[in-house]
Amino acid sequence: MNRLLLHTAEELHGLPRAGRRAVVMTMGALHEGHATLIRTAREQAGPGGQVVVTVFVNPLQFGANEDLDRYPRTLDADLRIAGGAGADAVFAPAVDEVYPGGDPQVRISAGPMGERLEGATRPGHFDGMLTVVAKLLHLTRPDLALFGQKDAQQLALIRRMVTDLNFPVEVVGVPTVREEDGLALSSRNRYLSPVERHTALALSRALFAGQDRLAAQAALRARAEASPASDERATALARLGEIRASADAHAVSAAGGGLPDAVRAAALHVLEEAGRHEPPLVLDYLALVDPQDFTEAGPGFTGKAVLAVAAKVGATRLIDNIPLEFGAHS
């Protein structure tokens, strides 16, 4: 695999091109989540295509108090993982290769979406991310670019940039890969001690609690719609011994809030419980948003949504999310 390790734009541009080219952009410290992205890229590029993995720790994405120096650099291991997953080449440039004039004077602006959630917590992060993604798209010239859905806001912004600025590339989102205990795979998981990891599991548990609340409400509504939700109907059903249908009808009759709030509440309950653990989970945000612009989903929201969470456990900040879909009666 080392013979296909590329460090310069000149080497990259000299790489013979075969079929469709798919690119997977990473900051290194590759794990099974990245391997899944690379395998998916291999499938989508096809047997005659080409998969290029980029490994670059982008300084523009790190704030003054963030972990740029601490971020793991494991290039030898990255090469083994990338090669084993089907990559044809790994482009691992130095900082001055990507930014030959120093910090770029002209950058991509993430706009209002880039100021929400992760952007509010990490000002300038998404401007730096989009700037390097734009540069790497120009350098690698792919037909396809694959990104993980774990970084849902990043994926949404990349899609928007590609559309708004007419990049000739197809952006493919790949579902989040989780460890057996549910924790989303992340390069930062290695920083967690065993007790911190136990607390961190609350992130995925909270998301699944929100998902379960949505599924339970959908089932409740389906049953209640089969038995009209009125107090008279509920009482009649109870007399007939149809206790479950009666309870469903009463619940729908009494419901006054929107389902998005119920989903948030179910997730928040798990996170608040984890805040009392030792060590505690320190919540940054829990949000249920429209994936088109990452604005909060209101009471009557319908369609696709993202339930997203960010929190610190010890010194490690973690993010996670799951996609949801709200029906017309949610």
Side-chain angles (χ1 to χ4, degrees), residues 199 202 268-283:
T199 296
L268 186 59
H269 176 74
V270 176
L271 297 168
E272 288 176 341
E273 188 80 14
R276 295 187 283 273
H277 289 179
E278 185 54 47
L281 181 143
V282 180
L283 183 63

Side-chain angles (χ1 to χ4, degrees), residues 28-282:
L30 302 190
H31 49 63
E32 179 57 27
H34 297 108
T36 298
L37 282 170
I38 297 165
R39 286 193 293 268
T40 305
R42 177 80 274 157
E43 292 169 5
Q44 299 224 357
Q50 187 177 71
V51 175
V52 176
V53 174
T54 69
V55 174
F56 180 65
V57 181
N58 178 30
L60 300 190
Q61 290 175 231
F62 291 80
N65 299 314
E66 294 185 330
D67 53 359
L68 173 61
D69 293 334
R70 187 178 173 222
Y71 199 87
R73 274 80 166 175
T74 58
L75 184 57
D76 288 343
D78 294 345
L79 291 169
R80 290 192 295 272
I81 291 172
D88 296 298
V90 172
F91 178 52
V95 173
D96 58 3
E97 183 70 23
V98 178
Y99 303 119
D103 282 355
Q105 297 295 302
V106 177
R107 306 188 186 195
I108 302 290
S109 170
M113 196 197 322
E115 298 171 358
R116 299 174 186 133
L117 300 187
E118 285 297 293
T121 301
R122 307 173 67 188
H125 166 73
F126 286 125
D127 290 357
M129 178 275 294
L130 290 177
T131 298
V132 80
V133 168
K135 291 196 68 129
L136 290 172
L137 286 174
H138 287 310
L139 287 166
T140 59
R141 303 171 188 172
D143 301 290
L144 306 166
L146 292 87
F147 299 90
Q149 291 177 359
K150 174 179 169 289
D151 296 297
Q153 192 171 4
Q154 170 180 282
L155 175 59
L157 281 162
I158 291 169
R159 289 190 193 280
R160 190 61 188 251
M161 178 184 74
V162 164
T163 298
D164 287 354
L165 302 184
N166 299 102
F167 279 78
V169 63
E170 177 186 350
V171 176
V172 178
V174 179
T176 300
V177 178
R178 299 184 180 278
E179 301 194 41
E180 288 186 7
D181 57 11
L183 190 67
L185 280 172
S186 169
S187 301
R188 290 188 168 94
N189 291 353
R190 69 185 68 195
Y191 300 145
L192 297 169
S193 70
V195 290
E196 288 172 341
R197 183 186 177 91
H198 179 72
T199 296
L201 294 178
L203 272 75
S204 56
R205 286 205 308 269
L207 297 177
F208 294 136
Q211 184 181 57
D212 290 346
R213 182 69 185 87
L214 177 60
Q217 185 69 14
L220 170 64
R221 287 190 178 277
R223 290 193 301 269
E225 285 171 0
S227 302
S230 69
D231 289 335
E232 289 182 9
R233 176 62 170 159
T235 302
L237 289 168
R239 288 198 188 103
L240 293 172
E242 299 178 36
I243 304 301
R244 184 59 180 273
S246 173
D248 290 351
H250 274 302
V252 173
S253 179
L259 182 51
D261 284 344
V263 169
R264 290 186 189 94
L268 186 59
H269 176 74
V270 176
L271 297 168
E272 288 176 341
E273 188 80 14
R276 295 187 283 273
H277 289 179
E278 185 54 47
L281 181 143
V282 180

